[in-house]
Amino acid sequence: MSDYYIQSLVGRRINVNKGGPEAKAGELLYSGYNYVVVGTDKDGVVYYATRHLKSFGEVVQSDNETGNGDENALRTWDYFKPSCFSAIMDNMLGENIQINRGGPESRQGKLLLSTYDYIVLSTEKEGAVYYKTEHVKSVSVVQRKADGEGDTESSNESGRKTSRASGKSTGKASGRASGGKTGKASGKQSGKQSGKQSGKQRCESSSQSANTIAPDPEFYQEYGFNDLFDRLKLRKVKINRGGPDAIEGMLTEYVGGYVVVYGEKEIHRILPKHIKSLSSL
């Protein structure tokens, strides 16, 4: 696919790939040295490495379609125009980003480091994950939700559960202390009041804890991706996130052009060019 052809599609509505996790529809905003920038409906601005793109489909409008119904037609996009794809991540340091649109290598997390051939992503479940840049198909900054969006239902449910439990417990305790009918009335009233207050406080604390930022995991900064193999020597590692190429075991050495990993039942020798991502377990 020639650069001239891609350039001719800038400003038009396109489909990136025919199918699969990387398939997206949007406006082609820019064509760089080895990447393109696409404004999408749900993911915002997505940067695609052209070496991983299989096809471009131009959306052709009929005579009855003017495009006025497309909300993106009048939208102004903010995006980077660096010299190459790997330099895009330099502008995203500290941001919560999405690596790839889907598939086993798709992850979301805070970008901790960007070098010429690998990046470090802080993920919630796997800690620091090292991605070889040449295997990154697309990247985007995660769209920020409005305050309270997505958390309302869980917060309300948490408040209701705490209200019921606290009200019941306080009512019984107060009832026993006061005795007889007065105890029952006092316990019931106290339970209602305490339940409401506790439920309200629970909602507030739940909302606050959701915004708490976890500390960044420790990670290694080396000149190149292959230098990480010496750093992680004699440690249990996970190579690739999933699929048939995922391997777990102790990384013993990097010798003869192969990474040697002792698995549970066999010894694996992997060519570094096939390692998409790496993390310590």
Side-chain angles (χ1 to χ4, degrees), residues 40-81:
T40 67
D41 300 330
K42 293 183 179 180
D43 293 346
V45 175
V46 180
Y47 301 82
Y48 284 93
T50 51
R51 61 175 167 263
H52 293 295
L53 294 182
K54 299 177 181 178
S55 66
F56 267 75
E58 181 182 357
V59 178
V60 181
Q61 294 178 338
S62 66
D63 295 337
N64 295 328
E65 294 176 327
T66 61
N68 293 332
D70 184 5
E71 62 179 14
N72 286 332
L74 301 176
R75 182 170 177 177
T76 301
W77 303 92
D78 292 325
Y79 56 91
F80 309 118
K81 296 181 183 178

mmCIF file of all heavy atoms in Angstrom, residues 40-81:
data_model
loop_
_atom_site.group_PDB
_atom_site.id
_atom_site.type_symbol
_atom_site.label_atom_id
_atom_site.label_comp_id
_atom_site.label_asym_id
_atom_site.label_seq_id
_atom_site.Cartn_x
_atom_site.Cartn_y
_atom_site.Cartn_z
ATOM 1 N N THR A 40 -11.614 7.779 15.836
ATOM 2 C CA THR A 40 -12.675 6.773 15.928
ATOM 3 C C THR A 40 -13.797 7.233 16.848
ATOM 4 O O THR A 40 -13.619 8.137 17.673
ATOM 5 C CB THR A 40 -12.114 5.428 16.436
ATOM 6 O OG1 THR A 40 -11.697 5.572 17.797
ATOM 7 C CG2 THR A 40 -10.932 4.974 15.596
ATOM 8 N N ASP A 41 -14.937 6.569 16.732
ATOM 9 C CA ASP A 41 -16.110 6.952 17.512
ATOM 10 C C ASP A 41 -15.945 6.666 18.998
ATOM 11 O O ASP A 41 -16.295 7.484 19.845
ATOM 12 C CB ASP A 41 -17.349 6.221 16.989
ATOM 13 C CG ASP A 41 -17.632 6.537 15.525
ATOM 14 O OD1 ASP A 41 -17.289 7.657 15.103
ATOM 15 O OD2 ASP A 41 -18.174 5.671 14.815
ATOM 16 N N LYS A 42 -15.406 5.489 19.352
ATOM 17 C CA LYS A 42 -15.364 5.061 20.746
ATOM 18 C C LYS A 42 -13.986 5.201 21.389
ATOM 19 O O LYS A 42 -13.885 5.472 22.583
ATOM 20 C CB LYS A 42 -15.822 3.598 20.846
ATOM 21 C CG LYS A 42 -17.294 3.393 20.491
ATOM 22 C CD LYS A 42 -17.698 1.940 20.685
ATOM 23 C CE LYS A 42 -19.174 1.740 20.359
ATOM 24 N NZ LYS A 42 -19.592 0.320 20.534
ATOM 25 N N ASP A 43 -12.931 4.992 20.620
ATOM 26 C CA ASP A 43 -11.582 4.996 21.183
ATOM 27 C C ASP A 43 -10.858 6.322 21.028
ATOM 28 O O ASP A 43 -9.691 6.430 21.395
ATOM 29 C CB ASP A 43 -10.737 3.887 20.543
ATOM 30 C CG ASP A 43 -11.243 2.498 20.910
ATOM 31 O OD1 ASP A 43 -12.055 2.406 21.844
ATOM 32 O OD2 ASP A 43 -10.829 1.521 20.267
ATOM 33 N N GLY A 44 -11.521 7.315 20.460
ATOM 34 C CA GLY A 44 -10.852 8.588 20.240
ATOM 35 C C GLY A 44 -9.806 8.466 19.141
ATOM 36 O O GLY A 44 -9.996 7.762 18.151
ATOM 37 N N VAL A 45 -8.659 9.112 19.336
ATOM 38 C CA VAL A 45 -7.578 9.076 18.348
ATOM 39 C C VAL A 45 -6.752 7.799 18.530
ATOM 40 O O VAL A 45 -6.246 7.536 19.622
ATOM 41 C CB VAL A 45 -6.672 10.318 18.482
ATOM 42 C CG1 VAL A 45 -5.483 10.221 17.532
ATOM 43 C CG2 VAL A 45 -7.481 11.579 18.202
ATOM 44 N N VAL A 46 -6.638 7.024 17.469
ATOM 45 C CA VAL A 46 -5.874 5.776 17.493
ATOM 46 C C VAL A 46 -4.722 5.889 16.504
ATOM 47 O O VAL A 46 -4.905 6.289 15.356
ATOM 48 C CB VAL A 46 -6.757 4.563 17.139
ATOM 49 C CG1 VAL A 46 -5.929 3.274 17.173
ATOM 50 C CG2 VAL A 46 -7.940 4.451 18.099
ATOM 51 N N TYR A 47 -3.527 5.506 16.964
ATOM 52 C CA TYR A 47 -2.330 5.517 16.124
ATOM 53 C C TYR A 47 -2.032 4.081 15.694
ATOM 54 O O TYR A 47 -1.816 3.207 16.533
ATOM 55 C CB TYR A 47 -1.143 6.093 16.889
ATOM 56 C CG TYR A 47 -1.367 7.497 17.392
ATOM 57 C CD1 TYR A 47 -2.066 7.730 18.583
ATOM 58 C CD2 TYR A 47 -0.906 8.604 16.687
ATOM 59 C CE1 TYR A 47 -2.284 9.017 19.053
ATOM 60 C CE2 TYR A 47 -1.115 9.898 17.146
ATOM 61 C CZ TYR A 47 -1.806 10.089 18.329
ATOM 62 O OH TYR A 47 -2.038 11.369 18.798
ATOM 63 N N TYR A 48 -2.013 3.839 14.395
ATOM 64 C CA TYR A 48 -1.772 2.502 13.849
ATOM 65 C C TYR A 48 -0.389 2.428 13.210
ATOM 66 O O TYR A 48 0.001 3.316 12.441
ATOM 67 C CB TYR A 48 -2.803 2.161 12.779
ATOM 68 C CG TYR A 48 -4.178 1.795 13.299
ATOM 69 C CD1 TYR A 48 -5.175 2.761 13.430
ATOM 70 C CD2 TYR A 48 -4.484 0.482 13.636
ATOM 71 C CE1 TYR A 48 -6.437 2.425 13.889
ATOM 72 C CE2 TYR A 48 -5.746 0.141 14.103
ATOM 73 C CZ TYR A 48 -6.714 1.116 14.226
ATOM 74 O OH TYR A 48 -7.963 0.787 14.686
ATOM 75 N N ALA A 49 0.349 1.367 13.510
ATOM 76 C CA ALA A 49 1.608 1.103 12.814
ATOM 77 C C ALA A 49 1.255 0.520 11.445
ATOM 78 O O ALA A 49 0.580 -0.507 11.361
ATOM 79 C CB ALA A 49 2.467 0.125 13.610
ATOM 80 N N THR A 50 1.706 1.160 10.383
ATOM 81 C CA THR A 50 1.300 0.745 9.036
ATOM 82 C C THR A 50 1.783 -0.659 8.690
ATOM 83 O O THR A 50 1.167 -1.333 7.867
ATOM 84 C CB THR A 50 1.817 1.739 7.977
ATOM 85 O OG1 THR A 50 3.223 1.953 8.168
ATOM 86 C CG2 THR A 50 1.098 3.078 8.109
ATOM 87 N N ARG A 51 2.881 -1.127 9.303
ATOM 88 C CA ARG A 51 3.374 -2.467 8.973
ATOM 89 C C ARG A 51 2.401 -3.563 9.384
ATOM 90 O O ARG A 51 2.491 -4.693 8.912
ATOM 91 C CB ARG A 51 4.741 -2.710 9.621
ATOM 92 C CG ARG A 51 4.745 -2.639 11.142
ATOM 93 C CD ARG A 51 6.107 -3.016 11.714
ATOM 94 N NE ARG A 51 6.216 -2.658 13.120
ATOM 95 C CZ ARG A 51 6.774 -1.554 13.550
ATOM 96 N NH1 ARG A 51 7.285 -0.702 12.680
ATOM 97 N NH2 ARG A 51 6.839 -1.282 14.839
ATOM 98 N N HIS A 52 1.472 -3.238 10.293
ATOM 99 C CA HIS A 52 0.502 -4.235 10.741
ATOM 100 C C HIS A 52 -0.870 -4.078 10.067
ATOM 101 O O HIS A 52 -1.771 -4.868 10.336
ATOM 102 C CB HIS A 52 0.321 -4.148 12.257
ATOM 103 C CG HIS A 52 1.539 -4.555 13.032
ATOM 104 N ND1 HIS A 52 2.042 -5.840 13.009
ATOM 105 C CD2 HIS A 52 2.367 -3.843 13.851
ATOM 106 C CE1 HIS A 52 3.108 -5.912 13.781
ATOM 107 N NE2 HIS A 52 3.329 -4.713 14.304
ATOM 108 N N LEU A 53 -1.023 -3.048 9.239
ATOM 109 C CA LEU A 53 -2.306 -2.836 8.573
ATOM 110 C C LEU A 53 -2.419 -3.720 7.347
ATOM 111 O O LEU A 53 -1.501 -3.801 6.529
ATOM 112 C CB LEU A 53 -2.461 -1.361 8.175
ATOM 113 C CG LEU A 53 -2.553 -0.354 9.325
ATOM 114 C CD1 LEU A 53 -2.754 1.045 8.775
ATOM 115 C CD2 LEU A 53 -3.686 -0.718 10.271
ATOM 116 N N LYS A 54 -3.562 -4.383 7.217
ATOM 117 C CA LYS A 54 -3.779 -5.290 6.091
ATOM 118 C C LYS A 54 -4.560 -4.640 4.959
ATOM 119 O O LYS A 54 -4.376 -4.988 3.798
ATOM 120 C CB LYS A 54 -4.518 -6.538 6.582
ATOM 121 C CG LYS A 54 -3.740 -7.328 7.635
ATOM 122 C CD LYS A 54 -4.533 -8.512 8.134
ATOM 123 C CE LYS A 54 -3.741 -9.277 9.196
ATOM 124 N NZ LYS A 54 -4.520 -10.425 9.742
ATOM 125 N N SER A 55 -5.450 -3.720 5.289
ATOM 126 C CA SER A 55 -6.247 -3.080 4.240
ATOM 127 C C SER A 55 -6.837 -1.769 4.722
ATOM 128 O O SER A 55 -6.971 -1.531 5.926
ATOM 129 C CB SER A 55 -7.377 -4.011 3.779
ATOM 130 O OG SER A 55 -8.309 -4.216 4.826
ATOM 131 N N PHE A 56 -7.179 -0.921 3.758
ATOM 132 C CA PHE A 56 -7.901 0.320 3.986
ATOM 133 C C PHE A 56 -9.161 0.281 3.128
ATOM 134 O O PHE A 56 -9.091 -0.017 1.943
ATOM 135 C CB PHE A 56 -7.063 1.537 3.551
ATOM 136 C CG PHE A 56 -6.256 2.139 4.648
ATOM 137 C CD1 PHE A 56 -5.117 1.525 5.105
ATOM 138 C CD2 PHE A 56 -6.629 3.339 5.229
ATOM 139 C CE1 PHE A 56 -4.353 2.086 6.118
ATOM 140 C CE2 PHE A 56 -5.877 3.915 6.229
ATOM 141 C CZ PHE A 56 -4.729 3.278 6.686
ATOM 142 N N GLY A 57 -10.286 0.561 3.732
ATOM 143 C CA GLY A 57 -11.516 0.636 2.949
ATOM 144 C C GLY A 57 -12.095 2.037 3.015
ATOM 145 O O GLY A 57 -12.397 2.538 4.103
ATOM 146 N N GLU A 58 -12.222 2.679 1.873
ATOM 147 C CA GLU A 58 -12.797 4.015 1.841
ATOM 148 C C GLU A 58 -14.318 3.921 1.841
ATOM 149 O O GLU A 58 -14.906 3.190 1.027
ATOM 150 C CB GLU A 58 -12.336 4.768 0.595
ATOM 151 C CG GLU A 58 -12.871 6.182 0.505
ATOM 152 C CD GLU A 58 -12.434 6.886 -0.770
ATOM 153 O OE1 GLU A 58 -11.671 6.285 -1.551
ATOM 154 O OE2 GLU A 58 -12.881 8.030 -0.987
ATOM 155 N N VAL A 59 -14.974 4.617 2.755
ATOM 156 C CA VAL A 59 -16.431 4.617 2.836
ATOM 157 C C VAL A 59 -16.974 5.543 1.759
ATOM 158 O O VAL A 59 -16.720 6.749 1.773
ATOM 159 C CB VAL A 59 -16.917 5.069 4.229
ATOM 160 C CG1 VAL A 59 -18.431 5.109 4.274
ATOM 161 C CG2 VAL A 59 -16.369 4.142 5.311
ATOM 162 N N VAL A 60 -17.697 4.958 0.800
ATOM 163 C CA VAL A 60 -18.254 5.723 -0.307
ATOM 164 C C VAL A 60 -19.692 6.064 0.012
ATOM 165 O O VAL A 60 -20.512 5.185 0.286
ATOM 166 C CB VAL A 60 -18.188 4.929 -1.627
ATOM 167 C CG1 VAL A 60 -18.763 5.756 -2.767
ATOM 168 C CG2 VAL A 60 -16.751 4.523 -1.918
ATOM 169 N N GLN A 61 -20.040 7.357 -0.011
ATOM 170 C CA GLN A 61 -21.392 7.810 0.288
ATOM 171 C C GLN A 61 -22.210 7.856 -0.992
ATOM 172 O O GLN A 61 -21.706 8.179 -2.068
ATOM 173 C CB GLN A 61 -21.370 9.201 0.921
ATOM 174 C CG GLN A 61 -20.704 9.232 2.292
ATOM 175 C CD GLN A 61 -20.671 10.638 2.845
ATOM 176 O OE1 GLN A 61 -20.752 11.596 2.103
ATOM 177 N NE2 GLN A 61 -20.576 10.745 4.167
ATOM 178 N N SER A 62 -23.491 7.539 -0.837
ATOM 179 C CA SER A 62 -24.396 7.623 -1.978
ATOM 180 C C SER A 62 -24.806 9.075 -2.208
ATOM 181 O O SER A 62 -24.484 9.966 -1.426
ATOM 182 C CB SER A 62 -25.641 6.767 -1.725
ATOM 183 O OG SER A 62 -26.397 7.310 -0.656
ATOM 184 N N ASP A 63 -25.532 9.330 -3.284
ATOM 185 C CA ASP A 63 -25.963 10.692 -3.605
ATOM 186 C C ASP A 63 -26.880 11.271 -2.542
ATOM 187 O O ASP A 63 -26.973 12.486 -2.361
ATOM 188 C CB ASP A 63 -26.693 10.715 -4.961
ATOM 189 C CG ASP A 63 -25.741 10.351 -6.098
ATOM 190 O OD1 ASP A 63 -24.520 10.523 -5.909
ATOM 191 O OD2 ASP A 63 -26.220 9.894 -7.149
ATOM 192 N N ASN A 64 -27.601 10.378 -1.811
ATOM 193 C CA ASN A 64 -28.561 10.843 -0.798
ATOM 194 C C ASN A 64 -27.914 11.078 0.559
ATOM 195 O O ASN A 64 -28.561 11.544 1.478
ATOM 196 C CB ASN A 64 -29.694 9.816 -0.639
ATOM 197 C CG ASN A 64 -30.517 9.696 -1.906
ATOM 198 O OD1 ASN A 64 -30.683 10.678 -2.637
ATOM 199 N ND2 ASN A 64 -31.023 8.499 -2.179
ATOM 200 N N GLU A 65 -26.615 10.721 0.677
ATOM 201 C CA GLU A 65 -25.932 10.862 1.961
ATOM 202 C C GLU A 65 -24.959 12.027 1.887
ATOM 203 O O GLU A 65 -24.076 12.072 1.031
ATOM 204 C CB GLU A 65 -25.169 9.574 2.306
ATOM 205 C CG GLU A 65 -26.090 8.385 2.565
ATOM 206 C CD GLU A 65 -25.279 7.116 2.796
ATOM 207 O OE1 GLU A 65 -24.198 6.986 2.192
ATOM 208 O OE2 GLU A 65 -25.751 6.257 3.558
ATOM 209 N N THR A 66 -25.134 12.968 2.754
ATOM 210 C CA THR A 66 -24.277 14.155 2.754
ATOM 211 C C THR A 66 -23.214 14.109 3.843
ATOM 212 O O THR A 66 -22.295 14.903 3.852
ATOM 213 C CB THR A 66 -25.133 15.421 2.972
ATOM 214 O OG1 THR A 66 -25.776 15.323 4.251
ATOM 215 C CG2 THR A 66 -26.172 15.556 1.876
ATOM 216 N N GLY A 67 -23.390 13.153 4.789
ATOM 217 C CA GLY A 67 -22.415 13.042 5.879
ATOM 218 C C GLY A 67 -22.729 13.949 7.045
ATOM 219 O O GLY A 67 -21.987 13.985 8.019
ATOM 220 N N ASN A 68 -23.821 14.732 6.955
ATOM 221 C CA ASN A 68 -24.140 15.650 8.045
ATOM 222 C C ASN A 68 -24.556 14.921 9.312
ATOM 223 O O ASN A 68 -24.506 15.476 10.399
ATOM 224 C CB ASN A 68 -25.265 16.605 7.617
ATOM 225 C CG ASN A 68 -24.808 17.553 6.520
ATOM 226 O OD1 ASN A 68 -23.627 17.872 6.439
ATOM 227 N ND2 ASN A 68 -25.727 17.989 5.677
ATOM 228 N N GLY A 69 -24.983 13.650 9.146
ATOM 229 C CA GLY A 69 -25.412 12.897 10.320
ATOM 230 C C GLY A 69 -24.246 12.354 11.119
ATOM 231 O O GLY A 69 -24.423 11.873 12.223
ATOM 232 N N ASP A 70 -23.047 12.396 10.558
ATOM 233 C CA ASP A 70 -21.880 11.888 11.264
ATOM 234 C C ASP A 70 -21.385 12.935 12.243
ATOM 235 O O ASP A 70 -20.942 14.009 11.839
ATOM 236 C CB ASP A 70 -20.790 11.537 10.248
ATOM 237 C CG ASP A 70 -19.574 10.911 10.910
ATOM 238 O OD1 ASP A 70 -19.614 10.668 12.132
ATOM 239 O OD2 ASP A 70 -18.593 10.678 10.198
ATOM 240 N N GLU A 71 -21.427 12.631 13.521
ATOM 241 C CA GLU A 71 -21.043 13.610 14.536
ATOM 242 C C GLU A 71 -19.554 13.934 14.466
ATOM 243 O O GLU A 71 -19.117 14.986 14.925
ATOM 244 C CB GLU A 71 -21.386 13.083 15.929
ATOM 245 C CG GLU A 71 -20.667 11.813 16.313
ATOM 246 C CD GLU A 71 -21.014 11.336 17.701
ATOM 247 O OE1 GLU A 71 -22.002 11.841 18.254
ATOM 248 O OE2 GLU A 71 -20.313 10.457 18.210
ATOM 249 N N ASN A 72 -18.763 13.038 13.871
ATOM 250 C CA ASN A 72 -17.329 13.286 13.770
ATOM 251 C C ASN A 72 -16.974 14.245 12.636
ATOM 252 O O ASN A 72 -15.840 14.704 12.528
ATOM 253 C CB ASN A 72 -16.569 11.970 13.557
ATOM 254 C CG ASN A 72 -16.520 11.150 14.831
ATOM 255 O OD1 ASN A 72 -16.556 11.714 15.918
ATOM 256 N ND2 ASN A 72 -16.458 9.845 14.694
ATOM 257 N N ALA A 73 -17.954 14.513 11.751
ATOM 258 C CA ALA A 73 -17.681 15.374 10.599
ATOM 259 C C ALA A 73 -17.300 16.783 11.040
ATOM 260 O O ALA A 73 -16.497 17.450 10.398
ATOM 261 C CB ALA A 73 -18.899 15.417 9.684
ATOM 262 N N LEU A 74 -17.877 17.245 12.157
ATOM 263 C CA LEU A 74 -17.611 18.596 12.643
ATOM 264 C C LEU A 74 -16.710 18.598 13.872
ATOM 265 O O LEU A 74 -16.534 19.618 14.510
ATOM 266 C CB LEU A 74 -18.940 19.294 12.976
ATOM 267 C CG LEU A 74 -19.935 19.422 11.821
ATOM 268 C CD1 LEU A 74 -21.240 20.047 12.313
ATOM 269 C CD2 LEU A 74 -19.340 20.249 10.679
ATOM 270 N N ARG A 75 -16.143 17.445 14.183
ATOM 271 C CA ARG A 75 -15.327 17.322 15.389
ATOM 272 C C ARG A 75 -13.883 17.748 15.107
ATOM 273 O O ARG A 75 -13.336 17.473 14.033
ATOM 274 C CB ARG A 75 -15.351 15.874 15.883
ATOM 275 C CG ARG A 75 -14.569 15.643 17.164
ATOM 276 C CD ARG A 75 -14.840 14.256 17.700
ATOM 277 N NE ARG A 75 -14.057 13.983 18.887
ATOM 278 C CZ ARG A 75 -14.139 12.858 19.588
ATOM 279 N NH1 ARG A 75 -14.991 11.915 19.215
ATOM 280 N NH2 ARG A 75 -13.396 12.668 20.651
ATOM 281 N N THR A 76 -13.266 18.416 16.073
ATOM 282 C CA THR A 76 -11.868 18.797 15.968
ATOM 283 C C THR A 76 -11.034 17.827 16.796
ATOM 284 O O THR A 76 -11.289 17.645 17.988
ATOM 285 C CB THR A 76 -11.647 20.233 16.481
ATOM 286 O OG1 THR A 76 -12.451 21.132 15.712
ATOM 287 C CG2 THR A 76 -10.183 20.631 16.353
ATOM 288 N N TRP A 77 -10.055 17.214 16.158
ATOM 289 C CA TRP A 77 -9.242 16.199 16.821
ATOM 290 C C TRP A 77 -7.894 16.781 17.241
ATOM 291 O O TRP A 77 -7.282 17.551 16.508
ATOM 292 C CB TRP A 77 -9.001 15.012 15.891
ATOM 293 C CG TRP A 77 -10.246 14.346 15.373
ATOM 294 C CD1 TRP A 77 -10.906 14.635 14.215
ATOM 295 C CD2 TRP A 77 -10.969 13.297 15.994
ATOM 296 N NE1 TRP A 77 -11.996 13.823 14.073
ATOM 297 C CE2 TRP A 77 -12.066 12.983 15.156
ATOM 298 C CE3 TRP A 77 -10.812 12.567 17.179
ATOM 299 C CZ2 TRP A 77 -12.987 11.987 15.455
ATOM 300 C CZ3 TRP A 77 -11.730 11.570 17.474
ATOM 301 C CH2 TRP A 77 -12.799 11.298 16.620
ATOM 302 N N ASP A 78 -7.424 16.368 18.418
ATOM 303 C CA ASP A 78 -6.079 16.707 18.874
ATOM 304 C C ASP A 78 -5.214 15.452 18.784
ATOM 305 O O ASP A 78 -5.577 14.411 19.355
ATOM 306 C CB ASP A 78 -6.097 17.209 20.327
ATOM 307 C CG ASP A 78 -6.782 18.558 20.448
ATOM 308 O OD1 ASP A 78 -6.646 19.376 19.513
ATOM 309 O OD2 ASP A 78 -7.470 18.774 21.469
ATOM 310 N N TYR A 79 -4.096 15.538 18.088
ATOM 311 C CA TYR A 79 -3.236 14.363 17.938
ATOM 312 C C TYR A 79 -1.791 14.794 17.707
ATOM 313 O O TYR A 79 -1.496 15.943 17.398
ATOM 314 C CB TYR A 79 -3.726 13.475 16.797
ATOM 315 C CG TYR A 79 -3.859 14.169 15.458
ATOM 316 C CD1 TYR A 79 -2.803 14.191 14.544
ATOM 317 C CD2 TYR A 79 -5.045 14.809 15.092
ATOM 318 C CE1 TYR A 79 -2.928 14.819 13.324
ATOM 319 C CE2 TYR A 79 -5.176 15.447 13.869
ATOM 320 C CZ TYR A 79 -4.112 15.446 12.986
ATOM 321 O OH TYR A 79 -4.235 16.085 11.773
ATOM 322 N N PHE A 80 -0.882 13.817 17.884
ATOM 323 C CA PHE A 80 0.542 14.062 17.719
ATOM 324 C C PHE A 80 0.966 13.776 16.279
ATOM 325 O O PHE A 80 0.362 12.949 15.592
ATOM 326 C CB PHE A 80 1.361 13.172 18.667
ATOM 327 C CG PHE A 80 0.906 13.231 20.098
ATOM 328 C CD1 PHE A 80 0.426 12.091 20.736
ATOM 329 C CD2 PHE A 80 0.956 14.412 20.818
ATOM 330 C CE1 PHE A 80 0.011 12.126 22.051
ATOM 331 C CE2 PHE A 80 0.545 14.464 22.142
ATOM 332 C CZ PHE A 80 0.067 13.323 22.758
ATOM 333 N N LYS A 81 2.054 14.431 15.856
ATOM 334 C CA LYS A 81 2.640 14.177 14.538
ATOM 335 C C LYS A 81 4.148 13.964 14.676
ATOM 336 O O LYS A 81 4.949 14.718 14.137
ATOM 337 C CB LYS A 81 2.376 15.361 13.601
ATOM 338 C CG LYS A 81 0.916 15.624 13.282
ATOM 339 C CD LYS A 81 0.798 16.811 12.327
ATOM 340 C CE LYS A 81 -0.648 17.156 12.023
ATOM 341 N NZ LYS A 81 -0.745 18.341 11.121
#
